[in-house]
Amino acid sequence: MVHAFIMVKTAAGKSEGLLANIRDFDRASDAHIVAGTYDIIVEVDAEEVYDILETVSSNIQGLEGVTETKTYIAMD
């Protein structure tokens, strides 16, 4: 099992709507609006690293209002 944290930057005023959409993804185990460099942090669980990459590129980055993502794979 692979666990990852995906940092998401959003366009102004889009965080709350995007949060609801992101929480609906099957692989998203948790998601929160946060203060700081990024607007949303998403926790993702998947069988393989490829599945994490697919979630980011096909699902999250495809949402209108997402301007940038950064993915961190948990090592523990």
Side-chain angles (χ1 to χ4, degrees), residues 30-70:
D30 212 351
H32 300 278
I33 292 175
V34 296
T37 303
Y38 291 90
D39 302 302
I40 299 173
I41 296 177
V42 185
E43 288 189 64
V44 177
D45 291 306
E47 290 297 319
E48 297 182 30
V49 171
Y50 173 80
D51 298 326
I52 300 289
L53 299 176
E54 179 183 44
T55 297
V56 174
S57 62
S58 297
N59 296 329
I60 295 174
Q61 290 177 346
L63 294 171
E64 184 178 336
V66 172
T67 60
E68 182 182 331
T69 63
K70 183 164 277 212

